[in-house]
Amino acid sequence: MFRTSMNKTVRFAVRQLCSTSHVPHVCVVGAGPAGFYAAMHLAKNINSIKIDIIEKLPVPFGLVRYGVAPDHPEVKNCINQFTKLAKQKNINFYGNITLGQDITLSKLRQHYDAILLTYGAEEDRTLSIENETARNIIAARNFVGWYNGHPRDKNLKVDLSGNKAAIIGQGNVALDVARILLSPIDQLKKTDITEYALQAISESKINELYLVGRRGPLQVAFTIKELREQLKLKNCQTIWRENDFIGVEDVVNNLQRPRKRLTELMLKSLKEQKSQTCSAHEKTFRPIFFRSPNKFLVNNGSVSGIELTCNKLVGDKLEDQKCVATEDKEILNCNLVFRSIGYKSIKADEALVFNSSGCVSNENGRVIEDHTTEELAKLYVAGWLGTGPAGVIIHTMSNAFQVAKNICSDLQTGTGSHRDGFDGVRKHLNIPIVDWNGWEKIDKYEVDQGKKSDKPREKVTCINKMLDIATK
Ligand code: FAD
Ligand code: NAP
């Protein structure tokens, strides 16, 4: 039955729905934060609901497990809430099932009253410039997956033997990558970073890391907490280019609060750098602004530098100013490049229609379709797949709650068919399926492995091994 956040009319309707013994059966596709938070809202508001969470990997939690940096364990606390939910009798987790590969959307829709798509944004955006596929130009997405043990990225080839590296993009993912590369190894040892990444990073020769932004200090996408962490890294000095900050002090007081505090921190750090001597530090972190990569320079198939175009900004509102290329170019020599310019969603199933922002077309989470029929489950979307690949977990949570609220109110107007849910879906599948019990076996195995080296866990990175452990 609906509880707190439902209005009286909806509560009454759903109570009726339950008393006529119709049990709404909902399928959530994607076991990341959007999927879990939406399921949490649905389960809280409709007592009798049955929810099946279908996930591509044998393990749950999406980017909480495979995106969030290993040195940010507190961010992963939401896993405790998700686990509590998954243990409820009416909630089922079915891992190792890929929408669009193991089962089509149209098949799935025959077995449920509603389908909520929350399969995230699994690809990364590219620059589409010359030599982008050269060796040692790495998508931040893959590097993050590599240090976090994503099965897709476990064999990533990343050569850390050169001393100069550059990251393109100035968002929080870029800062995660920078911090992992520049942190003292003792700081990483006690985290759940994969053993192979720890070993490679401990041997890394990178001591000069550039963070290349196409716009200026007033437009950076990273946030203050993440910058503060970077500035506090031991044995690493941040070196800004003074010219990049011309005019910034004049406008700082007019900025909105979060942007103002962030800018003040950059200005403070710029002032401090003048009184510091570089020799005391092993490594340097060098943000540079107003530069876009024009092409990559290559030596023997491997990146040797970036030709940068110098930009100027145009537009009235500071934060929304756009960059425009000038005639000027600059060369940045480096042996390794990370492209960190954002993620993008893929069309997992050909029946899906995407909008011009690269998300499943929707209105408040209700998928916009040309035509559908009563026999098919209603379709919804939440999280990065519906909003675009921006926002932290708390933003994803409020979007998921909002979409779930809409699902609740739509379910009350449903006719109350009796869908067979996963019992019906299972008949279409001929693959090993990992349920919550199976995940708990993997979880225990990882935690036990981690104990050997005083880490919270050592992740299993091979799908077959996950399946072995889960089905024993
Ligand atoms: P996801 O978390 O990506 O979940 C999608 C799920 O769907 C995954 O489990 C995936 O395996 C599954 N899936 C994909 N395709 C299919 C398919 N075809 N069939 C079935 N399942 C499928 N936010 C913070 O608050 N703090 C942080 O420190 C933080 N760090 C981040 C670090 C990185 C590198 C990134 C990229 C993001 C970070 N975020 C952080 C943001 C946060 O991770 C997102 O807001 C959130 O994960 C989005 O949730 P989602 O459920 O939409 O997508
Ligand atoms: P993001 O915040 O959107 O940053 C993308 C960066 O790439 C921006 O600096 C952007 O510059 C730049 N960029 C985009 N296209 C470019 C191009 N063609 N050429 C050059 N630069 C380009 O994306 P993200 O870093 O992938 O992060 C995704 C979301 O996850 C964000 O909301 C982030 O806050 C969140 N996240 C949070 C944490 C955390 O809380 N610790 C950690 C990681 C991620 P412009 O601004 O000029 O477009």
Side-chain angles (χ1 to χ4, degrees):
M1 258 154 269
F2 282 80
R3 294 195 194 117
T4 45
S5 55
M6 294 285 105
N7 66 34
K8 267 188 188 162
T9 327
V10 175
R11 251 197 320 260
F12 175 71
V14 169
R15 237 180 263 129
Q16 272 199 324
L17 192 88
C18 301
S19 64
T20 54
S21 84
H22 167 54
V23 175
H25 219 140
V26 174
C27 175
V28 174
V29 181
F36 272 103
Y37 279 122
M40 197 178 287
H41 188 94
L42 291 170
K44 189 173 170 203
N45 288 290
I46 312 177
N47 264 349
S48 56
I49 198 168
K50 279 189 173 175
I51 304 173
D52 296 333
I53 304 177
I54 287 180
E55 163 61 43
K56 172 181 181 163
L57 292 169
V59 295
F61 310 137
L63 284 168
V64 179
R65 177 174 161 100
Y66 289 122
V68 171
D71 58 343
H72 284 170
E74 71 290 348
V75 177
K76 303 185 194 203
N77 285 344
C78 55
I79 285 178
N80 299 332
Q81 285 175 288
F82 301 161
T83 301
K84 207 169 152 200
L85 177 81
K87 284 173 182 281
Q88 280 182 215
K89 256 176 38 204
N90 54 336
I91 314 284
N92 285 301
F93 168 78
Y94 297 110
N96 199 41
I97 303 169
T98 303
L99 172 70
Q101 183 184 303
D102 301 314
I103 184 108
T104 62
L105 188 57
S106 76
K107 280 251 157 62
L108 218 46
R109 289 181 81 174
Q110 292 162 16
H111 300 284
Y112 290 93
D113 297 300
I115 309 266
L116 172 62
L117 301 170
T118 58
Y119 68 79
E122 288 237 302
E123 288 291 316
D124 54 279
R125 298 180 55 216
T126 55
L127 291 156
S128 305
I129 59 172
E130 205 177 319
N131 295 328
E132 196 167 352
T133 54
R135 221 169 29 248
N136 244 17
I137 299 176
I138 313 264
R141 175 182 70 98
N142 296 122
F143 186 68
V144 167
W146 175 75
Y147 64 62
N148 275 328
H150 196 298
R152 174 197 65 210
D153 299 317
K154 63 178 192 297
N155 295 322
L156 183 79
K157 299 251 170 311
V158 48
D159 179 357
L160 304 172
S161 63
N163 75 312
K164 267 191 186 186
I167 304 173
I168 313 288
Q170 295 186 325
N172 279 330
V173 172
L175 277 198
D176 276 356
V177 169
R179 196 179 63 257
I180 295 298
L181 286 168
L182 297 174
S183 286
I185 206 72
D186 283 347
Q187 238 163 275
L188 297 178
K189 261 186 188 157
K190 299 274 156 70
T191 73
D192 68 1
I193 191 169
T194 49
E195 202 52 43
Y196 59 75
L198 192 65
Q199 178 66 31
I201 292 168
S202 72
E203 290 164 12
S204 160
K205 294 282 181 290
I206 297 169
N207 59 15
E208 218 174 301
L209 181 59
Y210 290 82
L211 189 78
V212 183
R214 61 179 169 179
R215 300 193 286 160
L218 296 174
Q219 290 87 22
V220 288
F222 54 70
T223 42
I224 192 162
K225 179 177 163 284
E226 286 63 35
L227 176 62
R228 204 174 276 135
E229 261 180 290
Q230 179 62 42
L231 295 176
K232 280 188 182 158
L233 280 189
K234 280 196 187 118
N235 299 332
C236 180
Q237 188 182 6
T238 298
I239 300 184
W240 310 89
R241 301 209 289 199
E242 229 176 317
N243 280 353
D244 287 343
F245 286 83
I246 291 171
V248 171
E249 213 149 6
D250 303 337
V251 295
V252 70
N253 285 328
N254 305 332
L255 301 170
Q256 298 279 336
R257 195 169 147 78
R259 176 68 63 184
K260 181 168 180 268
R261 289 181 56 224
L262 174 62
T263 311
E264 283 168 347
L265 181 60
M266 286 188 267
L267 287 168
K268 179 168 172 263
S269 166
L270 172 70
K271 279 189 188 132
E272 282 169 2
Q273 100 189 14
K274 291 181 194 158
S275 58
Q276 282 171 348
T277 49
C278 194
S279 55
H281 297 275
E282 272 173 29
K283 298 171 183 168
T284 57
F285 174 61
R286 297 169 179 266
I288 64 176
F289 296 93
F290 308 109
R291 300 290 181 269
S292 288
N294 189 46
K295 67 174 177 190
F296 292 107
L297 310 177
V298 174
N299 189 3
N300 283 331
S302 198
V303 66
S304 60
I306 318 172
E307 184 184 274
L308 297 169
T309 300
C310 305
N311 296 328
K312 62 179 184 186
L313 295 187
V314 294
D316 293 332
K317 200 170 165 233
L318 288 174
E319 278 189 45
D320 297 337
Q321 283 184 321
K322 301 252 176 301
C323 61
V324 174
T326 69
E327 294 291 303
D328 298 332
K329 300 270 188 291
E330 202 174 272
I331 300 292
L332 173 63
N333 293 316
C334 55
N335 332 87
L336 171 61
V337 175
F338 297 95
R339 186 184 57 225
S340 183
I341 61 167
Y343 286 54
K344 72 174 184 204
S345 295
I346 55 166
K347 217 173 174 180
D349 188 286
E350 57 183 24
L352 289 169
V353 177
F354 274 47
N355 62 24
S356 56
S357 317
C359 308
V360 169
S361 295
N362 73 95
E363 231 176 83
N364 303 319
R366 295 181 176 99
V367 172
I368 301 168
E369 297 186 274
D370 281 347
H371 58 267
T372 180
T373 64
E374 277 288 306
E375 293 81 60
L376 291 178
K378 287 199 176 115
L379 207 53
Y380 301 85
V381 60
W384 277 18
L385 181 63
T387 62
V392 292
I393 293 168
I394 199 155
H395 298 127
T396 299
M397 178 186 80
S398 44
N399 170 259
F401 283 170
Q402 191 54 52
V403 176
K405 207 169 160 189
N406 291 341
I407 299 176
C408 286
S409 81
D410 290 356
L411 279 177
Q412 60 155 320
T413 58
T415 48
S417 62
H418 299 273
R419 309 292 176 114
D420 55 358
F422 201 76
D423 290 341
V425 171
R426 199 189 289 274
K427 291 177 192 146
H428 305 292
L429 299 170
N430 188 20
I431 43 169
I433 296 163
V434 178
D435 60 11
W436 196 258
N437 193 23
W439 152 243
E440 286 187 325
K441 289 184 192 167
I442 299 171
D443 184 37
K444 182 177 181 317
Y445 180 89
E446 290 184 344
V447 172
D448 286 348
Q449 291 300 307
K451 278 182 189 147
K452 294 180 188 165
S453 41
D454 212 9
K455 294 167 72 175
R457 71 177 62 236
E458 186 62 50
K459 285 181 193 160
V460 178
T461 58
C462 169
I463 301 256
N464 283 339
K465 181 150 188 191
M466 288 177 180
L467 297 177
D468 274 357
I469 298 167
T471 51
K472 249 185 213 154

